[in-house]
Amino acid sequence: MKIGTQNQAFFPEGIKEKFRYLKEVGFEGFEIDGKFLVDHLDEVKEAIAETGIPVTTACGGYTGWIGDFIEERRLNGLAEIKQILEALKEVGGKGIVVPAAWGMFTFRLPPMVSPRSQAGDRKAVSDSLIYLDKVAEETGTTIFLEPLNRYQDHMINTLADARSYIEENELKNVKIIADFYHMNIEEDDISEALHQNRDLVGHIHLADNHRYQPGSGSLDFKKHFNQLKEDGYNGFLTIECRVRGNDPEAEYINALRHLQESLI
Ligand code: LER
Ligand code: MN
């Protein structure tokens, strides 16, 4: 298992400088914003070639959700995700992280009544995934379907929810991305959910229980990493977190060291 990261405000702005910095501090991969990748493809390619730090995945950078309530936005999202997958192919990236939607609706806050039926939700997400499954096949990439906690999305909250879409639609190029922060809210037991879905978990996002940097909260990373090891997971562990503390950069490096120690 290797440790990657998304961008952080305290990383250098310049693309080459950013990749050099990641290498210097000990990250082994970068999860990039999809639009940023499409807009800066050549520079990103050069930075990868110079540093050997791969772009593992893309996350975000498109403007309609795969489960969008608005059909025009859903279709726009699919067209943009296709472009991102084509760019990922060019840089050797594994695939894109997609939730059903993020921040569109939650049953847990007012108005608590969805404008669409659950059958309608299922059809929209399934139609999108069936389409993206083909694009992923054509580009040699993977769609990493992400369960989010109930306050961020109402459609896919657990690894089992994600699994049901993959199985029902017989998707070959869609896997599950397991995000420890969302799992800590939705799953009975993080290790057990990882184990139950070991055949489909293809990517991982890491944050501590409150979504701040790993090591600053109560999650037992060593325990969950041991479970992943036992189950033969060999993908990336990508930090996606907020950072708090007086010196965010130092806190972030501490978090990386904490994860590296938890992997031993
Ligand atoms: C959103 O909370 C999240 O976890 C991101 O990875 C969005 O896909
Ligand atoms: Mn995530």
Side-chain angles (χ1 to χ4, degrees):
M1 289 182 268
K2 291 180 176 171
I3 302 175
T5 181
Q6 293 186 346
N7 196 36
Q8 288 287 345
F10 46 84
F11 289 174
E13 276 271 316
I15 296 175
K16 281 205 180 129
E17 290 75 9
K18 198 186 295 293
F19 277 67
R20 284 181 199 135
Y21 174 84
L22 295 180
K23 185 174 184 165
E24 193 183 300
V25 299
F27 283 107
E28 295 166 285
F30 186 48
E31 180 162 288
I32 200 164
D33 175 87
K35 180 166 167 45
F36 187 88
L37 174 65
V38 169
D39 289 348
H40 300 88
L41 193 53
D42 289 338
E43 279 167 276
V44 171
K45 273 188 195 164
E46 284 169 24
I48 296 169
E50 183 196 306
T51 60
I53 297 290
V55 163
T56 55
T57 31
C59 184
Y62 51 91
T63 55
W65 304 113
I66 65 166
D68 215 292
F69 287 148
I70 300 168
E71 184 64 1
E72 188 178 349
R73 285 177 45 122
R74 185 180 75 85
L75 297 176
N76 279 343
L78 295 182
E80 288 164 352
I81 292 170
K82 182 171 190 277
Q83 280 191 316
I84 295 168
L85 292 175
E86 284 161 356
L88 280 167
K89 179 187 178 186
E90 289 210 34
V91 297
K94 288 171 28 153
I96 188 167
V97 172
V98 290
W102 176 74
M104 185 176 75
F105 176 73
T106 169
F107 285 119
R108 301 277 71 88
L109 293 169
M112 288 172 158
V113 179
S114 173
R116 188 171 64 194
S117 67
Q118 281 174 292
D121 287 344
R122 208 154 180 99
K123 181 168 181 345
V125 173
S126 291
D127 286 355
S128 295
L129 289 173
I130 290 165
Y131 169 77
L132 290 176
D133 191 53
K134 289 200 201 82
V135 181
E137 184 170 1
E138 284 157 21
T139 48
T141 58
T142 300
I143 307 299
F144 297 108
L145 184 59
E146 183 174 41
L148 303 184
N149 75 72
R150 68 195 75 170
Y151 302 101
Q152 295 193 1
D153 172 52
H154 68 293
M155 293 176 273
I156 300 180
N157 300 134
T158 61
L159 303 199
D161 291 341
R163 170 174 212 98
S164 74
Y165 277 92
I166 295 170
E167 286 182 345
E168 189 175 292
N169 296 300
E170 297 179 6
L171 305 170
K172 298 281 174 285
N173 307 291
V174 180
K175 302 278 179 244
I176 301 172
I177 177 233
D179 180 317
F180 279 28
Y181 160 67
H182 297 299
M183 292 179 79
N184 184 57
I185 297 171
E186 295 296 337
E187 306 287 352
D188 293 339
D189 181 306
I190 291 178
S191 280
E192 184 57 24
L194 291 169
H195 180 64
Q196 290 297 329
N197 294 284
R198 60 195 178 281
D199 54 331
L200 286 179
V201 171
H203 190 52
I204 291 190
H205 277 170
L206 296 179
D208 221 311
N209 60 295
H210 38 29
R211 210 171 216 179
Y212 287 102
Q213 66 271 21
S216 66
S218 58
L219 288 191
D220 186 345
F221 288 94
K222 196 170 180 64
K223 170 179 185 268
H224 304 314
F225 291 172
N226 282 342
Q227 182 67 58
L228 287 167
K229 268 189 221 165
E230 235 176 72
D231 289 333
Y233 178 76
N234 63 3
F236 267 81
L237 304 162
T238 296
I239 307 182
E240 180 190 55
C241 74
R242 299 172 62 80
V243 187
R244 66 176 164 193
N246 289 334
D247 183 345
E249 184 178 2
E251 295 292 348
Y252 206 66
I253 308 286
N254 281 344
L256 172 60
R257 302 294 169 245
H258 178 74
L259 295 174
Q260 287 168 331
E261 280 158 26
S262 305
L263 265 179
I264 296 168

